[in-house]
Amino acid sequence: PAGVGYNTSKAALCGLMRSVCQDGGVYGVTANAVLPGWVRTEMAERSAAAEAEERGCSVARVWEDRAALYPARRVVEAEEVAQVILFLAGEESSGVSGESIRVSLGCPW
């Protein structure tokens, strides 16, 4: 139940992106969604602290467990997400629209 609001809002944003892609395409508008995995942001750090308290372990342990979800055994860096966004904002991506692009090191969720 704790993830219902977050997961629902993420799905809604993907739906919104597809609608913008369809409605704006005739005007040359492209729309894509970037779906990162775990990234060490302020929000994710707060989440890790809350999870650590709930589990009775260290924040470092929470991040180790999160990293273990990925084949690369690490979480995504903010710069990696930024590079995808920069590509999508550039002319090189003019043919990319309506896509949900996962930046998650191969993690399926």
Side-chain angles (χ1 to χ4, degrees), residues 17-31 97:
M17 173 273 301
R18 285 190 295 276
S19 294
V20 169
C21 171
Q22 291 293 312
D23 295 345
V26 298
Y27 303 104
V29 173
T30 61
S97 193

Side-chain angles (χ1 to χ4, degrees), residues 44-84:
E45 291 291 350
R46 287 191 303 272
S47 166
E51 183 177 335
E53 185 175 326
E54 183 180 300
R55 289 173 47 191
C57 66
S58 69
V59 172
R61 177 58 195 216
V62 170
W63 281 109
E64 288 169 10
D65 292 346
R66 289 176 178 181
L69 297 170
Y70 298 87
R73 298 294 185 246
R74 67 178 182 84
V75 297
V76 176
E77 298 289 331
E79 293 79 19
E80 293 170 310
V81 179
Q83 288 299 315
V84 172

Side-chain angles (χ1 to χ4, degrees), residues 6 10 33-39 70 76-77 81 101-104 109:
Y6 177 81
K10 205 165 193 179
V34 176
L35 312 173
W38 281 113
V39 180
Y70 298 87
V76 176
E77 298 289 331
V81 179
I101 302 167
R102 294 177 53 233
V103 184
S104 62
W109 50 83

Side-chain angles (χ1 to χ4, degrees), residues 3-15:
V4 170
Y6 177 81
N7 292 329
T8 302
S9 64
K10 205 165 193 179
L13 286 174
C14 289

